[in-house]
Amino acid sequence: MRPPTRTAFVPAARLPGWLERFSDAHGGLASQADTDDGVALRMLDGAVALLSPPWPDDGRPGRGSDLLGRLASLASQERSTGVVLVRRGGYAVGVAVGGRLLAHKCGTKYIQSRTAAGGQSQHRFARRRGKQADALVVKSSEEAARIFAGHGFEYLATGGDKALVEDVLAEPVLRPYAARPRLAPLAVADPNMAVLTRAAADFCAVRIQVTDAP
């Protein structure tokens, strides 16, 4: 059985406190290493934490005397994101700087659940479901384009249903933004204002994946 893993999102300002508590809880630090995915910390009890910055250095690396200091410095830089969250129940889009929303729009668009019915009923439900999904994609892309047009941003930050997100970004109205560098996607609940606000902050935080000791 694999050791359990969990993910936390920690703002740069709170990282020193998180690291101190994590170290105390796991007997202290055994080693640290710089990897392609971030800074890997191995603790004396065997637990491992992988700390990934929210964005690449893009020629603006963090400053500091050690790996963790440079990672925290990089994560503390205020960069801008265009956020697109889409799930079957609705959408939320916005522009954020430093994890704070400057503009946003949330909405609901129902997509019927899959049915176990067969024959003509199944085909009828499938057509209806497809039309509902198309309406969600069009509405999400139109609102995202409207929000994005009023604000510049550096990165696309996405979350929710991967296929729906890709359909939204493929719409012609979002063509000017679809090629922007993307941040690692988030798993999110049905989009609403609270979910969008939390996601905007998490996209700008250090992503920490903890694997417990075997």
Side-chain angles (χ1 to χ4, degrees), residues 3-99:
T5 62
R6 58 190 182 277
T7 301
F9 295 89
V10 180
R14 292 170 45 202
L15 189 59
W18 187 94
L19 290 168
E20 182 178 358
R21 292 189 296 273
F22 183 72
S23 179
D24 290 344
H26 294 277
L29 177 66
S31 66
Q32 59 180 300
D34 191 11
T35 75
D36 291 342
D37 297 318
V39 178
L41 305 179
R42 183 171 296 276
M43 312 312 291
L44 289 173
D45 70 351
V48 175
L50 177 63
L51 284 66
S52 301
W55 32 68
D57 60 42
D58 287 352
R60 294 168 285 174
R63 299 177 181 273
S65 59
D66 57 23
L67 291 176
L68 292 173
R70 290 190 291 274
L71 183 145
S73 175
L74 175 61
S76 69
Q77 296 174 8
E78 287 200 344
R79 303 193 184 184
S80 54
T81 57
V83 183
V84 177
L85 310 179
V86 189
R87 287 180 62 87
R88 190 166 59 89
Y91 65 91
V93 297
V95 173
V97 175

Side-chain angles (χ1 to χ4, degrees), residues 144-167:
R146 181 179 64 83
I147 295 293
F148 292 173
H151 301 82
F153 61 89
E154 297 176 80
Y155 304 98
L156 268 176
T158 63
D161 185 302
K162 182 178 179 180
L164 284 174
V165 167
E166 293 304 321
D167 287 344

